[in-house]
Amino acid sequence: MPMRWLRRGLPVAFLAPLLASCSLQGEQSTFSPIGSIAQDQLDLFMWTWYLSIPVMVGVFGALIYAVFKFRRRKDDKLPVQSHGNPIVELILVIVPVIIIVLVAIPTIRSVFRTQSHVVATADDVVVNVVGHQWWWSFEYPELGITTANELHIPAGKRVILHLNSADVVHAFWAPRLAGKVDLIPNQDNQLWFDTNEDSVGIYSGQCAELCLGAHAYMRFRVVVSEQSDYEAWVAKFQKPAIQTVASDPLVTQGRQLVAAKGCIGCHNIGNYTEGMRYGQPLYPDLTNFGLRNTVGAGVLDATPENVAAWIADPQSVKPGNRMPTLWEANDPNRDQETAAIAAFLLSLGVNDSNQALARASSGGN
Amino acid sequence: MATTQPTITSSTRGKLFVRPTWTTGIGSWLTTVDHKRLGILYMLTSFTFMAAAATEAFIMRLQLLTPNMSVVNPEQFNQLFTMHGVTMVFLSIMPLGIGIANYFVPLQIGARDLAFPRLNAFGYWVYLFGGLMIYSSWFLGGAPDMGWVAYAPLTSLSHNPGLNVDFYMFGLFISGVGTTATAMNLIVTMVNMRAPGMTMMRMPVFAWMMLITSFMIIFAFPPLTIAFLEIILDRTFGTLFFVQEAGALPILWQHLFWIFGHPEVYIIILPAFGVISEIIPTFSRKPIFGYPIMILSGILIGFMGFAVWTHHMFTTGLGPVVNTAFSLTSFIIGIPTGVKIFNWLGTLWGGSIRFTTSLLYALAFLVTFTLGGITGIMVAMPTFDAQVHDTYFVVAHFHYVMGGGALLAFFGALYYWFPKITGKMMDEKLGKVAWVFTVIGFHLIFFPQHLAGLMGMPRRIQTYPEGIGLELVNMLSTIGSWVMGVGLILIFYGVIHALVRGKPAGKDPWDARTLEWTTESPPAYYGFKTQPVVNSLDAFWAEKYPESMHVTPPDPAEGRAYDAAGVHIPGQSWFPILGALALAVGCYGLMYDNMVLAVICGLSFIFTIFAWAFEGVGGTHLHFDVAEEHV
């Protein structure tokens, strides 16, 4: 019998640190932090993990020993009917108290360092995040720009997010940058984090609080770029340009279809018509869509095929979402028209359409 | 020993209807007020609901076997995990603890029934009807889909217009009424009806844990009931408690829910602590180590359980001061819990341990619960919790505590008390095979889920992206669910096997320590033939081995003196089940906007209460042959 316990106890104690050291890294893993907040949270976990090893060894060791040593033997003498031992009991109260103190001190320091309300300085990037069923709106109030599902930030800067919700409770979680904070209707929440100068890259995150429907597909990307790239991105949003390259009739057709099919009834496309604003803030803003890495709130990479597939049949890509299906499955024009709209959307914000297609077909930057 | 039939004298008849006196058949079960029968009904009902919840879990695990499976669609998946949570928490594990208490608390304290037998029956029937009402939603347009915590505003009409939310609210609302009534009943019983000589500090640990649990129920359920009522009013009568367009703060729901919800965790786990505190001493042949500390730590947990609720809300932006305060209270509640684990170890230490299936479950409980406690300390750190809150890490944590903790303890209780309830022994070899499958399957399901959470997998998603490292852990988890499924089926087979061909158990198959083992197996409807008298902890053990406990066993004649006027057996009654039925049907009336039906049922309910009151206790008095010798 004790061998069975040994076989169960040992893997539990030793397998996990082994795994932690090799295979727990990942695109969305808390073991791959890139900012000081996520690092702080990981450090706290590792500290309690190391503390828990002696606890497990002590408790399980004592259990295995007791079960082996005090198993019923053939002679089966009646054991002493001991009701306890005050000294032992006192020690057994003091030991958990010490462990708790060892956990509590770094916890409190960490809470006040990472969760205190911060006031924005001129150097910070401030973004208003609004959660919608089932996508994200990112508004940069100081820059006057709005985008959806992709949060662009410069590397090395502190980022302050003001979180709110348009409908139900959501949670903003980009595990490699920071732990989550909820987006709650009628409540202003704040989340801040920072990145290092060398953190350039694309990091994924998703909604972590049940919001029904397409909750599992309510994903987003955080794009961390060099300061100069970030400024170029901002400039493109402040003056979005619609280009229809004459040599690409597909893009021209797509531009007409966006109006004809009613896309701009819901979605704004910056400068689709000079000085006009389209759509409603309840639906994702498609300005400079060609700069996006993903489509459908982070569900698919923004390749022409994926974007066309998404437009043709949103429910098969992202079940439960609210985008209408505009073509019958047997509509002969469906493939051609969705390809045209995709080509048009992917050209938005890109300097010329060949570059747009080249970028998009390489599967994101 | 020859059993002598007691002479029976009948007291008052019912004023309105003739009171039922069936002793067998369906009518006897519908009208029963016997705590043992109600205990059996509770246990059967909660195991049945558990089977439903397990089925829901298997389907979910199948859906998550690999990325982008389509066994169910997102909407069905939401219904599955909501019903799984609601069932396990409200309809299965908690009523299982109450059911065991119903059966064994009176026997353990030497009482012949609960203080209010008809109220006890009422509590059971509203629990059953509440549960059936929630489950009827599967056939009436879809089950609740907003998670078992039902965060506002997912429950508001604008976000969830179907009836599913109403089924959840009404079903849990009325079953909560039953739970509260039963808790009061247990408190009154334990405070007033203990055997002569059984002081509070001689009461078995299981009974003590149920006493603490009952007090927690009384204080924890009102906030929940109020929260349910607010949603019901919002949805049925158009109030604005949680309507965000009118400026409502949805965070209020979370406070009300978790002020109930965290004590609920202890309402589930304390009976399990009690069960473990019966099993380990019995099979170690030693008294519980540090009995007063055991009781005190239980009371501390009971108090502190009400001071930790916002650790479920660390990510809602309450600020560093609140988060620190509730983090510290959550750490502190770990101390009495840790002390309990040490005391169980101390009980095993120096004992003479017999490895029955029941004890094996207790050992599995110790290991699993310790691991759940360690992750509990981790998620009590607000900044780390910000990473793992609402992820599979938390799913793993609370399954280690509630599944590996409470559920494994209750499986231990099944093997421990089954001989007493049925008079038949369960097969030990079969039980141990089932144990291996159940425990290994359990850890295979839930251990990888810690890693899934840490690697970025939120809970309550019906699919997960490929290529971020979640494939292996989810596959292990699903395979584990099949292994554990085999274990559960073997346990069920073991029960059937024992009922059909189990060996007779006798009064005291385990050489146990507490008073329930002095009764026949199964106990006669009157419980004890002679009123037990107690003069030490572990009263039955002291009677069997007086010199080991340094006590002189009390004289049975003293007990017989208490029964001089006869043993009162309360009369059966139709009113508990009728009242519960009126309540349940009335809720359907409100749900379907049929106010005529609702009013008729409301009036019937009030009428039933009065009829119940004027009916009187009724029943019979038993007179045992005083000359007969008690063995």
Side-chain angles (χ1 to χ4, degrees), chain A residues 18-74:
Chain A
L18 195 73
L19 285 171
S21 60
C22 55
S23 70
L24 293 183
Q25 309 283 322
E27 194 185 313
Q28 202 167 300
S29 172
T30 59
F31 286 103
S32 317
I34 57 153
S36 74
I37 299 255
Q39 184 65 50
D40 189 296
Q41 290 160 340
L42 178 62
D43 291 346
L44 201 55
F45 169 71
M46 291 316 286
W47 167 241
T48 38
W49 166 245
Y50 291 133
L51 267 181
S52 71
I53 290 175
V55 173
M56 285 191 276
V57 170
V59 173
F60 298 152
L63 183 66
I64 291 166
Y65 178 80
V67 162
F68 185 74
K69 177 87 195 299
F70 301 109
R71 68 189 187 278
R72 194 165 299 182
R73 310 201 185 233
K74 288 228 166 61

Side-chain angles (χ1 to χ4, degrees), chain B residues 98 101 105 179-188 190 206-221 266-267 270-271 306:
Chain B
I98 289 176
V105 162
T179 311
T180 313
T182 306
M184 292 186 190
N185 209 343
L186 284 167
I187 292 174
V188 176
M190 277 183 268
F206 176 70
W208 251 112
M209 292 304 128
M210 283 315 303
L211 182 63
I212 299 163
T213 302
S214 304
F215 272 109
M216 293 189 79
I217 288 174
I218 286 184
F219 287 107
F221 269 73
Y266 293 100
I267 289 167
L270 283 177
F306 286 91

